[in-house]
Amino acid sequence: MTGLASAFRTLAVTAAAGLLAVTGAVASPAPPASASPEPKAPREFVALASVDRTIIQEMRYTTAHNFVGEPVDGYRQPLCILTRPAAEALHRAQVRLLARGYTLKVYDCYRPQRAVDHFVRWAKDLADERMKGEFYPLVDKSRLFADGYIAEKSGHSRGSTVDLTIVRLPAVPTRAYVPGERLTECYAPRAERFPDNSVDMGTGYDCFDTRSHTDDPRIQGAQRAHRQLLGSTLVEQGFVNLPEEWWHFTFKPEPFPSTFFDFPVARRSVAGH
């Protein structure tokens, strides 16, 4: 009986294996949820460099030199991605500035929602003030939401908003930020604050201060003229400035006026576009 029972067991195993081979039920294990492919950008998005290679790109959120103090979620590569109409409008503005001895420089372009979420988490962590000395020296961190410096949605995530400045040619590279180095207020005189190869705009980029308002009356002389040059050049090409930030412009009409995307800032997101 022992031999007969063994034979039946062998037959049962063999039959089961044949059935599974036919159905493919165990052909391969199910991939983990984390292995699902990341979203890609719609075809309306392009890398700015594919439209204009002369515009300088200094993508701050891939580095530690920003108000968070570390690279921001979703920024995989130092790359400016925009909707094609916005990128083409920047190209037209660049042509006009090059003729006057200047170039555009972008700090941030499309921003994934996961990056905005990172900003929100950081803003709620009141103990993390490692970059306060430069970016928000006069603002209590508990006021960042109420004062409008941080929000749970950003126009950048729609793909047609860009943060930028202008640089006098020939452009001298900006030195790299060293984490932990002494911080200077973003509204300090240009010679004292963190060096930037851009013209003097009165404050540094991402300065959480009313002096960053485009028409703040304390900004006069060459600083005001530089803001006006940037603004007038971009407005001619269909951009609209955010009055609270001299560096912030949105191309109108936006191809995606109410969609907030979350594909990563990476070449693969716009590969083949």
Side-chain angles (χ1 to χ4, degrees), residues 9 19 32 40 71 74-75 77 112 134 143 153 201 219 252:
R9 283 197 298 271
L19 176 61
K40 290 192 66 175
Y75 287 87
Q77 294 168 319
E134 179 175 353
R143 296 284 309 169
K153 295 290 184 181
M201 292 290 192
I219 305 300
K252 300 288 186 176

Side-chain angles (χ1 to χ4, degrees), residues 132-144:
K132 179 179 177 63
E134 179 175 353
F135 291 97
Y136 53 107
L138 297 180
V139 180
D140 190 301
K141 193 175 181 184
S142 66
R143 296 284 309 169
L144 292 180

Side-chain angles (χ1 to χ4, degrees), residues 68 121-132 136 140-142:
V68 175
R121 291 195 305 274
W122 166 83
K124 291 179 179 178
D125 181 3
L126 301 183
D128 182 356
E129 294 190 325
R130 70 188 106 163
M131 303 302 285
K132 179 179 177 63
Y136 53 107
D140 190 301
K141 193 175 181 184
S142 66

Side-chain angles (χ1 to χ4, degrees), residues 17-29:
L19 176 61
L20 292 173
V22 172
T23 62
V26 293
S28 61

Side-chain angles (χ1 to χ4, degrees), residues 132-260:
K132 179 179 177 63
E134 179 175 353
F135 291 97
Y136 53 107
L138 297 180
V139 180
D140 190 301
K141 193 175 181 184
S142 66
R143 296 284 309 169
L144 292 180
F145 287 102
D147 291 350
Y149 292 112
I150 300 293
E152 295 186 352
K153 295 290 184 181
S154 169
H156 281 274
S157 301
R158 302 193 298 261
S160 296
T161 294
V162 59
D163 293 342
L164 72 175
T165 187
I166 53 177
V167 176
R168 168 72 77 173
L169 294 172
V172 177
T174 297
R175 75 165 175 84
Y177 168 75
V178 179
E181 69 175 84
R182 177 180 173 274
L183 302 175
T184 301
E185 298 90 342
C186 52
Y187 50 73
R190 184 173 187 241
E192 299 176 18
R193 62 182 183 257
F194 184 84
D196 190 310
N197 61 359
S198 75
V199 299
D200 188 3
M201 292 290 192
T203 76
Y205 168 58
D206 260 355
C207 186
F208 293 5
D209 190 271
T210 55
R211 276 164 280 206
S212 294
H213 293 188
T214 305
D215 291 325
D216 186 279
R218 291 166 291 182
I219 305 300
Q220 295 294 328
Q223 297 172 341
R224 192 172 191 84
H226 292 151
R227 293 187 183 191
Q228 290 173 341
L229 174 60
L230 175 64
S232 62
T233 303
L234 292 174
V235 167
E236 287 177 356
Q237 304 308 321
F239 286 92
V240 176
N241 174 239
L242 178 67
E244 291 78 18
E245 299 177 349
W246 60 257
W247 56 81
H248 180 118
F249 290 83
T250 300
F251 180 76
K252 300 288 186 176
E254 296 182 64
F256 301 99
S258 58
T259 305
F260 299 86

